[in-house]
Amino acid sequence: MARQVNTGGNYKIIGQDITIGAMNADPFAYSDTGPFPFRSVAYSYVPSLFDGIEAVRTHNNGTFPTSNYTALWYDTEHWGNDPVFGIRVVYSGGKFNLEYNFRTFSSPSYIWSDYGWYKNTWSDGYTGADPTTITSDDRWRQGIYFAYMTDGLTFLPNENYARYVVIYAHKAPVTGYTGQPITATFAKATGYPGDRWYVNGGSCYYESQGGVTYASVATGFLCMLQSSLSTKIETFADDTATPGGGHGTNYGYYSLPVGVPALPAISIMDTGMAQMWNPSPSQCNDLADYLWSDDFFDNIKKVNADPLANVIQFGVVPIDVSVLQGALKEVKVGNVATGVNMYPLTRQYIQLELGSINPEEYWTSFMDYEPNTRASIFIPFCGVFDIPLNELYGKTVGLTYNIDLLSGDFVAFLHMHDGALNSVLYHKTGNLMLSFPMSGANYSNLYKTVAAGISGVAMGAATGNPGVIASSLGNLAGSVISGGSSMEISRTGNFSGASNALGCFDAYMILTQATQQYPPNYEKYVGYPTYNTYKLSSLTGFTKVEELIDNTVKATDTEKQEIERLLKEGVIL
Amino acid sequence: MIVYFYKISDDRKVVSKTVNSTTLVKTCNTVHYKDDVDILNPVLEIAYDSVLTTANYVYVTDWGRYYYINNITTGMQRLFFECHVDVLKSYTSEIKDLYCVVQRQEDINKANLYLPDYMFRAKSIKTVSTPYIFPNSPHTFTKNQSIILTTGGRS
């Protein structure tokens, strides 16, 4: 399994954002002799369903240019002595947008040209449109030629020179796509001056020589920075217990993505049996005026006894549905033209994105997790729900509503995304429509709904009513460290009916954190939890042993037992 | 038998206690011990010397061990030191060569703070906060638009 490599920035692999730290003055120190190690910095966002971005270079086997200019790389396959930097996007299914951007040049002493896109080879000149959308398993390459003039052969570091290529590749919005996550394995190669690790059994590798980190390609990963920005590659062998970790060789299962479902394709309007309208207040007034006008009664009494028999439902939703409006047209009630124009709705369902949050640990310790810290999320029109914190930290938590405008019912999806996980973990249902009674029968139903809603809003213990969506902070006790238990708290009751319009519209997270009681010099008398294997000579200070690997002290048995007892009670090395 | 008498201030937990010229009280070569002595819990006997009554730690060269002085009694112009072996100091180098699964350690760089620390205490005071709000709320839900459902729809 690949390891996260410590660099000047924060690196993550496969589907996570990459941050690059500040660049030093001269990250492109180079040699006149080849082969040129990879020097570029590539910054990209690699979706988890994307096979990655390769930054390809070849070795120099041509003649180095004259003193007029100094090139960063050489590629003799196609452009002779012209140096190139290729970007190869490998597609593994789905639909992606590909963008690229380059740091601009401003010095008059530069030379730069863009050879355009190449499809599947370095030699074909692709003459089609730029591949802004990749839909097939082709390999698109962008040949970019970097060069810069120098005074003689002296490299002049200047921020305005080409410093890096910024590559963006992200998944285009498309529904119904499922892909496979990326795997990567490393195998160490022999016969190289440094540590070289090949990726996925191919020709791509990372190499570390004398503290400098190189990468030939970055399949599924980002390119490595120079040693001035990065530390040496850590071992890619199986995990060993290390401080802060201690996990084993298996990271667990890969997650297949479970996305927010698409809205239903069919709606009541497709049946032709009913029509939904999105009237403005004045249009509502006009319709009401018509319904109780003499004209209406003259017309409708021939068909219906009740003027409202053909008005099935009237409700108010707190969301903008104008995106679903069709062309303005006349309302017909019971096939009787009313003369009132309204916007019909073209679809019954709508999806709303409330955005995402990125919760982070506060203490970066066990204190951030249950039972010392509890998290809840309030979902408008649903209520407050406890969420385990390990499902929140380090993840992008998004909230999406799929709403049925006919009934006002919705399903709210809480989806969590990080490098490994990209799935909906929670579904919460509710109703966000405020319904208005249109007839006596409707009114009695509405009253029942309102009464239920009011009675559900209460402080105290959560009820056993499955319809009540209440949150409980729960008991923070569990051990003596909790400082005592907390009362059960219900932060919301049942949202329905009229109470929908009166609730909070913010979707937010509630954190309840315990406060540490941390005495001075705690570590000297009690120590920190470690649970790792050490040779005692490598430690200093307070040390409490869980178990001796082998008591090889040449002492009497009584003394050895006492040594073991004292080590387990805690000693000061 | 040569015995070094020390006066040390190190806690018993300290493995390598400070025994040097600074902590040395007196070196004696006329120390006796009772017959059938328990080397791990010896009783040392020496002529009365008030200086020695300040000592709390000894090293017995013949046995190569360090001892705590648990008790001092006197009688017949003699001092009797009831001792118990200090295994930590006596076997310091060998103890440091041991490999162990370490449960707790002073160095935070060796710690895994994600392991529950059952020695920690938390106050009853809790902090409640709302640190994150989904960015597209609340304006998503403040539109208030009407929906009317009527019969028929084709015309």
Side-chain angles (χ1 to χ4, degrees), chain A residues 61 120 270 389 447 506:
Chain A
N61 59 358
N120 288 327
D270 296 332
L389 281 153
Y447 176 77
D506 274 312

Side-chain angles (χ1 to χ4, degrees), chain A residues 361 481 483 527 532 546 554 559, chain B residues 65 101-103 114 120 124:
Chain A
E361 297 169 343
I481 68 171
N532 214 332
E546 172 83 7
K554 297 178 184 63
E559 290 172 306
Chain B
R65 287 174 168 82
V101 176
V102 176
Q103 187 190 104
Y114 289 105
F120 238 36
S124 297

Side-chain angles (χ1 to χ4, degrees), chain A residues 2 158 165-166 169-170 189 194 255-256 299 380 389 402 410 423 472 476 496 515 550 564 573:
Chain A
N158 185 302
V165 171
V166 180
H170 55 90
S255 286
L256 295 178
N299 289 327
L389 281 153
N402 279 2
F410 66 85
S423 298
S472 168
L476 284 185
S496 64
T515 307
D550 190 13
E564 184 165 340
L573 295 168

Side-chain angles (χ1 to χ4, degrees), chain B residues 40-64:
Chain B
L40 302 184
N41 298 282
V43 178
L44 304 177
E45 178 187 338
I46 191 169
Y48 185 89
D49 183 344
S50 62
V51 171
L52 295 178
T53 60
T54 63
N56 61 2
Y57 201 71
V58 297
Y59 176 70
V60 178
T61 53
D62 282 10
W63 300 331

